[in-house]
Amino acid sequence: MSDSIDATFAALADPTRRRVVELLREAPRRASELADDVAMSRPALSRHLRVLRASGLVEAETLADDARGRVYRLRQDRFAALQAWLDQVQAYWAEQLGSFAEHVDRRQARP
């Protein structure tokens, strides 16, 4: 799991790739649409899409009517793994805050 989380964070570290994820949250899109939406050349965006695909965050589907065209969409499983990891971190902090609250309550209860 650690390797996949590392790849996810590395992919999302770039603001352009985060913007692509935001756009794909709205709907699947062609690479050309994404390039236009992020105001980037198609070759430059292609490198970002390659990173997102390698991390497992995005998948590409080749169009039946155009072998050169691809539609990109988000993959739910990688985001679910990220959410599971974040939930574990959140649980840790909830436990720490709960322990601190108990400590404060015990201290205040002393005469």
Side-chain angles (χ1 to χ4, degrees), residues 30 62-63 66-70:
R30 290 176 175 251
T62 303
L63 299 171
D66 181 3
R68 294 176 298 146
R70 292 185 181 166

Side-chain angles (χ1 to χ4, degrees), residues 21-69:
V21 167
E22 290 171 10
L23 291 167
L24 292 176
R25 279 184 18 217
E26 297 169 6
R29 297 175 193 249
R30 290 176 175 251
S32 59
E33 294 175 77
L34 290 167
D36 292 342
D37 289 341
V38 298
M40 183 174 280
S41 71
R42 290 177 184 165
L45 182 66
S46 177
R47 289 187 287 276
H48 288 289
L49 289 170
R50 193 174 313 121
V51 171
L52 288 168
R53 279 195 327 266
S55 72
L57 293 169
V58 169
E59 63 186 359
E61 178 183 336
T62 303
L63 299 171
D65 61 337
D66 181 3
R68 294 176 298 146

Side-chain angles (χ1 to χ4, degrees), residues 12-24:
L12 294 174
D14 185 274
T16 299
R17 292 192 286 268
R18 287 193 306 273
R19 178 70 180 131
V20 168
V21 167
E22 290 171 10
L23 291 167
L24 292 176

Side-chain angles (χ1 to χ4, degrees), residues 73-90:
R73 64 180 35 90
L74 297 178
R75 290 187 57 199
Q76 190 271 337
D77 57 331
R78 190 65 71 169
F79 287 97
L82 175 60
Q83 185 61 54
W85 184 83
L86 291 171
D87 289 345
Q88 291 173 357
V89 173
Q90 179 62 34

